[in-house]
Amino acid sequence: MDATTGRHVSTVQACRGFSYKHLTDPNLQKVSRIFYDAAAELLALLPDDPELTACLRKLREAKDCAVLLAAVEGVRTDG
């Protein structure tokens, strides 16, 4: 994630796992990219702080849950 350049090591580590281009399924990429974009926007808005680190870790945890659900159940096509 390019937005981590020059950031505190804790912030950088919290951003691991937001990449999505390695996913071979376009639907999984679509779900994962939502969280990547949110993390990038938060990095643009907020300074390094333990709260930012916690925020990014929880966002990554939510991303993992969403991608797992999409992998197991698929994504909705009706909305």
Side-chain angles (χ1 to χ4, degrees):
M1 180 172 274
D2 292 339
T4 60
T5 303
R7 301 304 293 253
H8 189 272
V9 65
S10 296
T11 302
V12 174
Q13 288 177 348
C15 288
R16 291 183 301 183
F18 283 112
S19 61
Y20 61 91
K21 292 181 181 177
H22 67 284
L23 298 169
T24 56
D25 184 329
N27 287 322
L28 298 184
Q29 284 188 0
K30 183 186 254 187
V31 171
S32 188
R33 183 170 181 178
I34 294 167
F35 295 91
Y36 176 94
D37 291 342
E41 190 161 343
L42 289 166
L43 286 169
L45 294 172
L46 300 172
D48 290 334
D49 186 88
E51 292 298 330
L52 175 61
T53 301
C55 170
L56 292 168
R57 285 186 179 147
K58 291 175 187 232
L59 184 63
R60 188 178 64 211
E61 185 178 334
K63 186 244 357 159
D64 290 345
C65 293
V67 172
L68 177 61
L69 177 61
V72 173
E73 298 293 330
V75 297
R76 293 175 52 175
T77 58
D78 61 353

